[in-house]
Amino acid sequence: MHARASLARQLDRIVHDLREHQRKVFSKLVSIMLDRVDNSESMHASLSGSVLVMPGQPSPYMAELVKDAQSLHRVLSPILTREQLDNVYAQILGGFDAKLVAIYTAAGSAEAAVAHRITTDIAHLITAMMQLQPDSTQLCCPQLAKFAQHIASRT
């Protein structure tokens, strides 16, 4: 009986260690993706107009951010459970939501061209991320969506 209790404690410790390791790996994945948002030099270049972008197309910065998020999703999908994948992406998209709103707010949107660039980029991000989670009933990046509506209503 004592051996069973000892084995159960060891198994509990292993499960705990595995979950902690998994949490750290997921946290690192989220951190890596959120670091992509902090690439403010590319962001500011896309907003300043120094980067040529076809009307209706996302900026190179946003296209790359979306591509990275899609690539990570494609890699993780066969490995993680749906619940784990949803949890990781909820954190990533929550971070995108907060960080991009802050960046766009700081950049200002008084100029029509900048406002259009921001709304186009936000629409591209939201559309692409919603396609990754078609079963989700929650709107991806609600702060960004609200911010885009606010900008659009002023122009």
Side-chain angles (χ1 to χ4, degrees), residues 58-68 70 121 124:
S59 67
Y61 170 85
M62 186 55 71
E64 189 68 24
L65 183 64
V66 166
K67 180 181 167 194
D68 289 347
Q70 289 169 325
D121 279 359
H124 179 68

Side-chain angles (χ1 to χ4, degrees), residues 26 30 73 76-77 79-94 129-138:
F26 293 167
V30 170
H73 192 276
L76 294 179
S77 290
I79 300 168
L80 302 182
T81 66
R82 187 70 206 183
E83 181 181 342
Q84 291 169 327
L85 188 63
D86 288 348
N87 182 24
V88 168
Y89 266 78
Q91 292 176 57
I92 290 170
L93 296 176
M129 295 303 100
M130 292 299 287
Q131 289 172 352
L132 294 179
Q133 299 177 316
D135 300 335
S136 178
T137 58
Q138 293 182 316

Side-chain angles (χ1 to χ4, degrees), residues 31 36 62 84-85 108 140 150 155:
S31 175
R36 300 289 296 143
M62 186 55 71
Q84 291 169 327
L85 188 63
C140 152
H150 174 71
T155 57

